[in-house]
Amino acid sequence: MKLTGAEIVCESLLKEGVDVMFGLPGGAILPLYGALSRYPQLRHILCRHEQAAAMAADGYARATGRVGVCAATSGPGATNLVTGIASAHMDSVPIVAITGQVPRPAIGRDAFQECDVTGITLPITKHNYLVMDVADLAPAIKEAFYVARTGRPGPVLVDIPKDVLLGERAEFVWPEQVNIPGYNPPQDADREQVAVAARLINEAERPVILAGHGVLISHAYEELRQLAERAQIPVVTTLLGISAFPTDHYLHAGMPGMHGMAYASLAVDQADLVIALGMRFDDRVTGRLRDFAPRARIIHVDIDPSELHKNIKANAPVLGDLKCVLRQLLPLVERRVHMEWLRRVDSLRAEHPSLRIRDTEALLPQYVMQQLSELTDGKAIIVTGVGQHQMWAAQHYGFKEPNTLITSGGLGAMGFEVPAALGAKVGCPDRTVWSIAGDGGFQMTMCDLATAVESGINVKFAILNNGVLGMVRQWQEFFYNKDYCATVYSANPDFVKLAEAFGITGIRVKDKSQVAPAIQQAMAIPGPVVVDFVIKQDENVYPMIPAGESVGEMMEEPAPEGVQGIR
Amino acid sequence: MVYNGHQQHTITALVQDKPGVLARVASMFRRRGFNIVSLAVGNSEQPGLSRMTFVVNGDRDTVDQVTGQLGKLIDVVRISDLSDQETVARELALIKVETSPANRGEIVQLVNLFRAAIVDVGAKSMVIEITGEEDKINALANLLAPFGIKEMMRTGRVAMVRGQAEGRVSDSVGIGRRGDIMDRARVNYEGV
Ligand SMILES: Cc1ncc(C[n+]2csc(CCOP(=O)(O)OP(=O)(O)O)c2C)c(N)n1
């Protein structure tokens, strides 16, 4: 039986095992929605903004490890996806975005709501397709999913003209396999490369593992733990690598970099070997490149050959899928205990307890995160926005399970916290999902609280409300003579009333003593809740290594009034 | 080859003959800030595949980044880095020079000397076709300049490895690059 293009899209999505997608319709993509109502197996979650659809697909993909799907119409619908797609691209997240396009005869004529979305997304997708023939639809969608999830994952966009969705019909033929000559994502690494890496590990006296997002993407946490334990190597994680190694493990040594823990940065600085696993030496991690790990040899394992030698030249570059590589590597690594080195890292931790929380009456964001960590036993999925609250979440939540921090790391897109949390919860309905928001970022996408209510998505939203664009305010304080130009939000809405307007519970917390009860109350309510934590306005994130500088220039927290909870 | 203080490298890429492939390649070069000296595109010996020849300026690391980033483009099938290889490299140029009855003879002599060809003759101009390496074309252009060059079109370099070899070949995602990465790593490794 011949099907319309729209039906072919639906059938293809089913073949790919898709059961949910996020989107918002419009003229050019309407034929797809016309078919969608006949495919109840494909749950469609209607968002309030296409940016939310893209970011929800991202959150879904990261929480589940499956491809997230979003859909939007041509023109403004498609351009609204762009921030979400760019974020997914920077963070190697597999999403497939389906956009409607004006009918083929109208393309190139500046038709109503025409926009060259394949052109716009060229540099922010792993690949994209403009499908001009209904017979090409099924192969294009199969390829899109394949490209999105294999190798180094990333977003793929499929742009489909309205008349391809609705015009002539075609037989639905699902290709057995994809055929992309020259696209062969690596798996096992070259044995010689692995042997060199093993030799460097066996020779090292002060090794550090620097684990990135790649560990989570290739599901290599078990192998990572084995490697760390086998040779007793401390593990530091990048922001996106957080939760790749349990925070409560004795070899866990924090996060290095701009707002990382001092002891983690210092451990990398003093190491004689950095074993970089599935990370890309982002400037937030390295600081000034020439001063990064100056005493160390570098092993760099990555699946993307263009990452090797890109920012940091490796002594032992290893190209391959991390899980495969670690399995090859493990038998070659000698069991060792670097006693002296482990003691040194421990004393760094004691001398630079970056995570102590001042004992004060003020409501500190760090305290909120620490309480949340305790009350959820470090096992919730934490989805953050971008700014100070993101760093406090990264520093003070004790992540115990893999894949539980979802954050826009590479692009740093504010507004990620609300929609990505919705996507994560849709993907993992049995997990507790907390969205950690800044009051700035929250106001960028809070319209999608309606989506949470409408589609019954039980996310708990914590706003760390300082009434300012906090991270920018901090930079102004440190680097711009305290000129707080355009960072004070003097007319924020009442977030409790706002929650109520959406038909959900809002709780305001102004006092330290209310923190734990509010968190417990929020979790007891069987639906979305907004908790507005009114925190100290001028609290800063420490430590801080200023942009473009290095460990030597690290600013640590000024002398504490009291000490609590050294970790 | 050294040019303006930079090293010039020749890279060829076999690409799928699909709409937009040139835009993808160009977008990548622009975004990463790589400097293309010339780019030539045309059909290859295999149906459905085109071959691009790039000449880029930069050091060894830059060229490795170029090939790495090119390799990530899904439509790119194979990349060969022809730097350090024995190659045949050619460019074609059409040059329209002003002529007068008085200097025509002199121009014809130059054309013969360079084994170029006159492909069009008008009342006040002629079009000269020349094929060769860039230096040769530059030399002829310099000699013709005093007569007045009205228009010049150059194709950019196309290049091929002599004999059996094919340059340092890379599949689009990496497999072939392994040897390359190891070569450089070992140099590094000894250096530590
Ligand atoms: C979309 C977007 N616009 C601007 C920025 C620049 N920026 C980075 S952090 C920040 C402040 C964020 O404020 P808020 O969400 O309230 O979080 P806080 O830092 O106060 O915790 C801004 C404006 C950004 N990262 N993303």
Side-chain angles (χ1 to χ4, degrees), chain A residues 182 188 192 199 304 306 315, chain B residues 65 72 172 178 186 189 192:
Chain A
D188 278 343
E192 228 184 308
R199 194 169 111 214
D304 176 354
S306 71
N315 305 96
Chain B
Q65 266 299 301
K72 276 166 77 170
S172 129
R178 287 177 176 174
R186 263 201 234 100
Y189 178 59
V192 172

Side-chain angles (χ1 to χ4, degrees), chain A residues 353-354 356-359 364 366 474 477-478 482 536 538-544 554-563:
Chain A
S354 313
R356 73 182 140 212
I357 298 174
R358 294 197 311 287
D359 193 6
L364 294 183
Q366 300 92 322
Q474 174 170 345
E477 178 182 331
F478 289 0
K482 307 192 178 180
K536 184 166 168 287
D538 55 358
E539 186 65 11
N540 289 321
V541 181
Y542 289 103
M544 176 168 197
M554 178 160 48
M555 298 184 247
E556 293 201 65
E557 180 152 17
E561 300 146 39
V563 174

Side-chain angles (χ1 to χ4, degrees), chain A residues 42 48 82 117 125 192 255 370 402 453 516 545 548:
Chain A
L42 289 171
R48 293 298 186 271
V82 164
V117 63
T125 50
E192 228 184 308
M255 168 178 86
Q370 188 222 35
V453 178
I545 300 173

Side-chain angles (χ1 to χ4, degrees), chain B residues 5 87 122 159:
Chain B
T87 56

Side-chain angles (χ1 to χ4, degrees), chain A residues 57-141:
Chain A
D58 182 319
Y60 174 90
R62 283 206 231 185
T64 61
R66 300 166 63 191
V67 178
V69 182
C70 59
T73 195
S74 67
T79 54
N80 272 351
L81 292 176
V82 164
T83 306
I85 294 175
S87 181
H89 189 241
M90 289 290 269
D91 290 346
S92 310
V93 182
I95 65 174
V96 168
I98 297 173
T99 49
Q101 182 54 277
V102 299
R104 281 167 294 181
I107 289 180
R109 296 170 183 275
D110 301 321
F112 177 63
Q113 294 193 330
E114 181 185 357
C115 170
D116 175 14
V117 63
T118 43
I120 288 176
T121 58
L122 214 58
I124 54 161
T125 50
K126 186 169 171 189
H127 197 49
N128 62 24
Y129 298 83
L130 170 61
V131 185
M132 294 292 274
D133 186 333
V134 66
D136 295 338
L137 257 179
I141 292 176

